[in-house]
Amino acid sequence: MPTVAVLNTVGQQVSELQLSDKIFGAPVRLDLMHQVVLQYLAARRAGTHKVKNRAAVSGGGRKPWRQKGTGRARQGSIRAPQWKGGGVVFGPTPRSYAFSVPKKVRRLALYSALSSKVAEGKIIVLDELQLNQPKTKEMVSVLKNLNVGKALIVDGEKKEPIYLSSRNIPGVKYMEAAGINVYELLRHDHLVLTKDAVAKVEEVFA
């Protein structure tokens, strides 16, 4: 089982914690993490792009000239695609880019992302993280004590003072353990977990 130091907000070690080998000591599968990140980003796409085809462009209901005898090519509408101002052929239309990935693959990818943080020494476990009132300056001080910059902070449950204190810090994101995902884990250099968050992750994702 991986063992990590438990720190306080000053950066001093107060104890040690054994992490679940299944979740934090799993083989790192880059292929699975790549697949899940693609799914996450695809689901975020709005897919609201749209162009007008010849049916949607206004006008062009009358045949511009007769079929035969003019010497010009036959035309049925001035809104046909070859005309200036005509409709677009095979243009983008509203759609969903989302696709599904098996639950087992998503779970293994999450194990891989968490395990990679442990293997790289980029995981920090805090004894607790409490702020009495929203204060960005105090949150910056905590991160400085932990010697982290771009970090994902995960707590057992969302605490409003901590959320408000961290949301304006560039490169820092605060979230609760139940919402942890591969994309956010890989996007941030360090992972800062409270002991409550570790327990929640091991309970929810075991």
Side-chain angles (χ1 to χ4, degrees):
M1 284 187 172
T3 303
V4 293
V6 178
L7 310 179
N8 57 22
T9 52
V10 185
Q12 299 171 335
Q13 182 174 344
V14 293
S15 63
E16 288 188 342
L17 180 68
Q18 281 193 334
L19 303 175
S20 167
D21 197 45
K22 177 183 178 182
I23 299 175
F24 294 93
V28 177
R29 293 284 304 274
L30 297 178
D31 57 331
L32 299 185
M33 289 191 289
H34 177 253
Q35 191 175 349
V36 170
V37 168
L38 283 182
Q39 182 212 20
Y40 182 88
L41 294 175
R44 279 177 35 166
R45 294 184 66 175
T48 52
H49 39 40
K50 185 180 188 304
V51 297
K52 290 183 177 182
N53 58 22
R54 64 183 297 168
V57 178
S58 62
R62 181 175 62 86
K63 189 174 175 66
W65 51 77
R66 60 199 173 110
Q67 181 81 348
K68 294 178 178 290
T70 64
R72 289 177 289 186
R74 54 192 175 188
Q75 300 292 334
S77 168
I78 61 170
R79 293 296 179 252
Q82 71 270 21
W83 283 70
K84 181 179 181 298
V88 178
V89 183
F90 303 132
T93 54
R95 55 165 289 195
S96 170
Y97 285 90
F99 62 92
S100 62
V101 172
K103 182 179 178 181
K104 187 175 181 180
V105 172
R106 297 198 306 270
R107 189 61 55 88
L108 290 174
L110 181 63
Y111 294 169
S112 293
L114 290 168
S115 299
S116 68
K117 291 297 183 191
V118 175
E120 295 167 6
K122 298 287 183 68
I123 187 170
I124 295 171
V125 178
L126 288 178
D127 187 29
E128 62 176 355
L129 184 58
Q130 295 285 349
L131 292 177
N132 296 324
Q133 58 181 353
K135 202 76 174 176
T136 302
K137 191 174 181 180
E138 290 184 18
M139 198 67 208
V140 170
S141 178
V142 170
L143 295 173
K144 189 175 180 181
N145 292 336
L146 299 175
N147 196 28
V148 297
K150 193 174 182 183
L152 176 64
I153 304 169
V154 183
D155 210 341
E157 293 181 353
K158 185 177 179 180
K159 300 184 178 76
E160 198 68 15
I162 300 174
Y163 167 70
L164 295 174
S165 300
S166 60
R167 66 178 178 175
N168 288 332
I169 305 175
V172 173
K173 186 177 178 68
Y174 174 77
M175 65 192 310
E176 58 182 325
I180 198 168
N181 61 76
V182 177
Y183 175 74
E184 294 296 347
L185 285 168
L186 297 180
R187 198 166 70 92
H188 294 86
D189 295 333
H190 287 86
L191 172 62
V192 180
L193 292 157
T194 63
K195 285 179 70 176
D196 290 342
V198 173
K200 191 75 173 178
V201 167
E202 292 181 350
E203 175 190 343
V204 173
F205 300 106

